[in-house]
Amino acid sequence: MPAPTKKAAPARKKNRSEDKLAKLGLRSDMDLVLHLPMRYEDETEIVPIREAGFMAGTPSQVEGVVVSCDIQYRPRRQLVVTIADDSAQLVMRFLNFYGSQVKQLEAGTRVRARGEVRHGFFGAEMVHPTYRVVKEGEPLPTALTPVYPSGEGLSQAFLRKAIAAAMTRIDWRDTLPPRLLEALKLQPFEAAVRLLHNPPSDVDEHALEDRSHSAWIRMKFDELLAQQLSLKRAQEARRSREAASLPVVGALSEAFLAGLPFELTAAQQRVLREIRADLRESFPMQRLLQGDVGSGKTVVAALAAAQAIDSGFQAALMAPTEILAEQHFRKIAQWMEPLGVQVAWLTGSLKKKEKMEAQARIESGAAQLVIGTHALIQEGVQFARLGLVIVDEQHRFGVGQRLALRNKGKDAGGAGDTAQTVPHQLMMSATPIPRTLAMTYYADLEVSVIDELPPGRTPVVTRIIDQNRRDEVIERVHAAALDGRQVYWVCPLIEESEALQLQTATDTHAMLSAALPDLRVGLVHGRLKPAEKQMVMDAFIRGNIHVLVATTVIEVGVDVPNASLMVIEHAERFGLSQLHQLRGRVGRGAAASVCLLLYQSPLGPVARQRLMTMRETTDGFEIARRDLEIRGPGEFLGARQSGQAMLRFADLQTDQWLVEQARDVAQALLREDPATVDAHLARWLGGREDYLKA
Ligand code: ADP
Ligand code: MG
């Protein structure tokens, strides 16, 4: 650095650094202190150049004197610096470099360099090593060197200094009482933090790296505890918001139940009781209804809607796809309209005039139940008295979309004393979320589970078959159809190209039509116009189509009990939960159902594991558990909803036991020790509780 700029810089430079720190979320001293290393580098040893790099993949540190420092232009511009110690020479190669580096590394300079050593044609070399100019005999660090998560233009040295300074200023007092630490065998806060920033030379490096060290455990526990405390507080806040109480289980509910062609299962009755109790409250319900595919969530949702209507309010049901929404509409309208309920239908594909009509009925309150897609949350849709919002396949919606529907209740005009209330919310999902995840993924959510299928279902038998036996499979399809049963033929998922996927579906349709001339083969895919799609689905539902060739549009919710054979091509390309959803389209009637998973060999280990799981079990929760094992929680619900995003240290998968522990401790502290709760939240969240309120 040239000297003249040095004097004027400090004030501005400080501000810029502060901005950069703020970008990393580091505003207070405590933020800095809790900015823990993401890994460590071992700079405690120097090896002779001759011995460097014998362990492939592990970096070495060497020290030598610069012999030459040149800019080369072939094959591309680069800085090539040769250093030497007593044992050998080594080349440091930089493809990006500053002019100042050329000066800094002039011959005779002593440097310490750390990086992976490769032995190439020109001898040992390091590409882009980290290096430092040193004096002869400069002492080595005695501890591991922390490496912090950083941002653009923030050097490790700067972060280290800022953190060290912050450590001299903060209040180190433990937020947790000693009794608790002892009971949980947790390290004191100060000791844990100091160790992580400056690990002693005899530390268990491995435990530090994989974060199983007791110091890490303390940090993870604190973080999870803060999360649990804050979730509970959010729950209290919800309880203080107002919702219209929907207490009436009246004529509609009773007539509806009496008219059903079946009895509710015990599990359906149980979750219905839970929902009914919630709806009576005058704070908003926020409940997730989980049940495997085919477990009968729709009827429970309809009964919740009936209670809202019985109580004089509107209910809205939103589904992620047009096919699914329409199926709900037709089924529920068929149940409810004979009982005098006005049901409105609203999707993006409606003609303008129909849309306006539907909107008018919603706004006037004439429509008591509204069923549709995302169109429900568009501007211009105003509810008169929205009391209950139901979201099907909720994980397919973003947080924002769910909130948008909830907010439709707020500024409803003409609603008199209910204008300020929030509607109750029922979310449904066939993708079961394991308990620990549910506890951390969703802020403040009650969970009801339908853990029983309606009687008379025979479990689907799953077979795994090599794609080259397709002819036999087509034979089987033929036999099933002649037997009066219907068949889904699911075309492979082609993630790279929707056009290609469409092409494959069209080809498959042509191939099957030719191979099965005596059968009616239909085709449904995402590019069909809604009316066309509906025509095909109708024909299939009425039994006029024997074999339905489909892309994954049939994945969710479609309900045709007579379909009892499913063929999935290139099953190895699908994810586990997707396969489970698809397979759930069969096994809905009394007939024994079969699912044939065709695969292209050779199978990779992950795909093999998935297909085996599908063959072994039809239990959605078990499948979800294994899916989680294979994929990890981050992908489970999409990053958008991922609770991991707000956890810096804990890992929901490896630290499940800590999640449970943190939840129990949170409950006890909230009951017995509010001062500790406040102190702990202040330390860990500062003013940032907001982002837990998704
Ligand atoms: P999902 O939970 O996957 O949304 P659905 O609500 O579509 O399941 O129900 C699947 C099928 O089971 C539907 O045809 C539905 O009418 C039927 N069903 C629901 N509950 C029962 C029950 N208690 N007994 C018999 N059939 C039921
Ligand atoms: Mg459903």
Side-chain angles (χ1 to χ4, degrees):
M1 271 275 124
T5 54
K6 249 185 179 168
K7 266 185 203 145
R12 260 183 52 222
K13 192 171 171 195
K14 179 157 179 272
N15 281 333
R16 278 213 310 274
S17 307
E18 264 167 21
D19 289 347
K20 284 173 189 161
L21 287 175
K23 254 197 187 154
L24 289 179
L26 307 177
R27 292 184 181 81
S28 67
D29 282 338
M30 191 52 82
D31 291 341
L32 278 164
V33 169
L34 293 177
H35 192 64
L36 297 173
M38 55 182 178
R39 60 190 170 82
Y40 298 87
E41 275 174 2
D42 188 350
E43 295 176 350
T44 59
E45 268 181 353
I46 284 174
V47 293
I49 290 175
R50 186 198 294 279
E51 287 166 28
F54 282 129
M55 289 258 284
T58 42
S60 324
Q61 180 169 243
V62 299
E63 185 174 315
V65 174
V66 175
V67 180
S68 67
C69 173
D70 303 298
I71 299 174
Q72 289 183 0
Y73 292 90
R74 247 162 290 171
R76 52 173 285 196
R77 189 167 178 272
Q78 52 186 284
L79 180 64
V80 179
V81 183
T82 306
I83 61 171
D85 67 6
D86 295 342
S87 71
Q89 290 199 343
L90 175 139
V91 167
M92 309 198 295
R93 204 177 285 281
F94 301 91
L95 299 173
N96 303 305
F97 59 95
Y98 298 103
S100 58
Q101 272 175 286
V102 183
K103 237 176 142 184
Q104 181 195 29
L105 291 169
E106 61 193 8
T109 311
R110 174 174 289 273
V111 295
R112 230 168 242 176
R114 188 170 185 283
E116 255 180 67
V117 176
R118 290 200 311 224
H119 293 276
F121 187 67
F122 300 106
E125 72 170 41
M126 285 182 181
V127 179
H128 284 273
T130 51
Y131 72 91
R132 203 155 64 84
V133 174
V134 291
K135 291 199 252 333
E136 191 166 3
E138 190 161 310
L140 284 162
T142 52
L144 294 177
T145 311
V147 181
Y148 294 101
S150 183
E152 204 182 322
L154 264 185
S155 72
Q156 288 294 321
F158 180 84
L159 271 171
R160 251 170 247 156
K161 232 190 265 165
I163 290 167
M167 291 196 357
T168 65
R169 291 188 296 254
I170 62 155
D171 175 358
W172 282 101
R173 271 176 301 177
D174 218 295
T175 51
L176 304 182
R179 242 179 339 110
L180 186 61
L181 296 182
E182 216 167 284
L184 298 171
K185 301 207 166 30
L186 286 173
Q187 245 186 17
F189 176 78
E190 176 165 4
V193 171
R194 288 196 187 278
L195 182 140
L196 292 173
H197 285 299
N198 303 301
S201 48
D202 61 348
V203 75
D204 178 350
E205 277 180 51
H206 189 70
L208 215 52
E209 286 294 342
D210 75 4
R211 302 197 168 186
S212 62
H213 193 282
S214 57
W216 274 122
I217 299 291
R218 172 64 205 261
M219 292 298 111
K220 293 179 190 186
F221 178 82
D222 274 22
E223 176 179 52
L224 288 166
L225 180 63
Q227 188 192 35
Q228 291 297 321
L229 288 171
S230 139
L231 292 186
K232 298 270 187 248
R233 285 260 163 108
Q235 198 167 10
E236 281 165 23
R238 171 163 66 87
R239 281 165 193 256
S240 69
R241 265 183 308 189
E242 246 181 80
S245 163
L246 309 173
V248 186
V249 176
L252 175 62
S253 303
E254 270 153 31
F256 178 73
L257 257 183
L260 280 180
F262 48 75
E263 297 277 306
L264 295 186
T265 61
Q268 282 171 318
Q269 286 175 20
R270 188 188 65 240
V271 302
L272 182 61
R273 273 199 302 278
E274 290 164 354
I275 293 167
R276 282 186 167 164
D278 281 0
L279 293 180
R280 275 196 291 273
E281 300 288 351
S282 46
F283 61 87
M285 166 171 85
Q286 204 160 299
R287 189 170 280 278
L288 176 66
L289 175 55
Q290 291 196 338
D292 209 348
V293 285
S295 63
K297 295 183 290 293
T298 313
V299 68
V300 173
L303 278 158
Q307 183 169 341
I309 297 166
D310 265 338
S311 307
F313 283 81
Q314 291 172 299
L317 192 165
M318 179 165 76
T321 68
E322 184 117 10
I323 286 191
L324 190 52
E326 193 141 356
Q327 186 175 292
H328 279 315
F329 172 65
R330 278 148 24 94
K331 185 161 221 163
I332 294 175
Q334 180 197 325
W335 281 333
M336 295 244 184
E337 276 176 351
L339 304 173
V341 177
Q342 292 287 318
V343 188
W345 163 241
L346 188 64
T347 67
S349 68
L350 285 184
K351 296 204 185 68
K352 190 149 190 235
K353 192 165 150 253
E354 297 169 316
K355 212 179 278 179
M356 305 267 282
E357 245 169 51
Q359 285 176 0
R361 287 172 67 211
I362 296 167
E363 193 163 348
S364 72
Q368 295 159 290
L369 178 56
V370 187
I371 299 176
T373 56
H374 303 80
L376 287 183
I377 53 177
Q378 250 124 48
E379 260 179 71
V381 183
Q382 293 280 337
F383 286 81
R385 286 164 73 76
L386 184 58
L388 169 66
V389 160
I390 302 166
V391 182
D392 195 15
E393 304 294 337
Q394 64 87 27
H395 57 284
R396 300 208 152 200
F397 292 99
V399 172
Q401 289 173 319
R402 293 198 320 255
L403 290 182
L405 186 52
R406 194 176 79 185
N407 291 338
K408 285 286 175 190
K410 269 190 187 159
D411 28 59
D417 58 352
T418 63
Q420 293 309 308
T421 61
V422 183
H424 297 278
Q425 217 183 154
L426 180 65
M427 290 160 276
M428 304 197 282
S429 176
T431 306
I433 307 157
R435 245 177 67 76
T436 30
L437 280 188
M439 270 161 37
T440 45
Y441 266 90
Y442 294 104
D444 177 28
L445 202 63
E446 323 269 359
V447 181
S448 291
V449 181
I450 306 184
D451 51 6
E452 175 186 8
L453 292 181
R457 304 262 171 92
T458 38
V460 182
V461 173
T462 300
R463 297 233 146 73
I464 303 174
I465 300 173
D466 195 311
Q467 193 94 20
N468 64 23
R469 289 169 57 197
R470 217 188 196 199
D471 288 346
E472 286 169 52
V473 173
I474 293 173
E475 248 333 286
R476 214 162 152 164
V477 168
H478 194 211
L482 291 187
D483 220 26
R485 293 182 290 150
Q486 287 171 280
V487 183
Y488 291 106
W489 188 292
V490 182
C491 292
L493 183 70
I494 301 173
E495 281 189 339
E496 312 82 58
S497 157
E498 202 195 344
L500 208 57
Q501 176 153 338
L502 212 61
Q503 186 58 49
T504 315
T506 315
D507 292 348
T508 307
H509 177 249
M511 180 276 291
L512 284 175
S513 301
L516 303 165
D518 55 333
L519 298 185
R520 279 186 298 275
V521 183
L523 172 63
V524 62
H525 55 71
R527 278 297 173 83
L528 288 183
K529 295 210 181 74
E532 297 169 325
K533 217 184 291 178
Q534 197 51 55
M535 247 168 53
V536 179
M537 289 314 294
D538 276 346
F540 191 59
I541 289 166
R542 282 199 307 272
N544 291 343
I545 288 176
H546 300 109
V547 182
L548 183 63
V549 176
T551 55
T552 46
V553 295
I554 59 152
E555 182 189 339
V556 284
V558 174
D559 188 28
V560 181
N562 192 47
S564 61
L565 175 59
M566 171 169 286
V567 179
I568 302 178
E569 282 202 78
H570 281 290
E572 77 279 0
R573 293 188 194 163
F574 292 88
L576 204 41
S577 71
Q578 206 171 16
L579 286 172
H580 179 63
Q581 291 278 321
L582 283 168
R583 183 173 62 181
R585 302 309 109 212
V586 292
R588 305 196 139 226
S593 293
V594 177
C595 177
L596 305 178
L597 302 176
L598 305 194
Y599 69 90
Q600 177 85 57
S601 51
L603 271 181
V606 172
R608 169 179 299 273
Q609 208 182 338
R610 266 193 243 127
L611 297 186
M612 299 297 242
T613 299
M614 287 300 291
R615 189 172 63 187
E616 278 162 32
T617 179
T618 54
D619 177 343
F621 276 86
E622 177 61 18
I623 286 174
R625 200 184 59 71
R626 298 211 201 164
D627 201 20
L628 184 66
E629 250 169 45
I630 299 173
R631 292 197 298 167
E635 271 186 68
F636 201 79
L637 295 163
R640 211 169 20 190
Q641 300 186 17
S642 142
Q644 185 72 52
M646 51 201 188
L647 293 174
R648 285 177 288 167
F649 310 130
D651 177 306
L652 288 178
Q653 207 170 359
T654 53
D655 302 322
Q656 278 195 26
W657 62 284
L658 272 176
V659 177
E660 306 264 353
Q661 211 173 52
R663 187 205 43 190
D664 294 345
V665 171
Q667 255 152 13
L669 286 177
L670 282 164
R671 225 173 24 237
E672 293 153 18
D673 194 352
T676 294
V677 173
D678 289 339
H680 195 75
L681 282 176
R683 171 164 291 172
W684 280 88
L685 294 180
R688 283 171 291 145
E689 270 170 85
D690 268 1
Y691 65 131
L692 288 172
K693 288 191 183 135

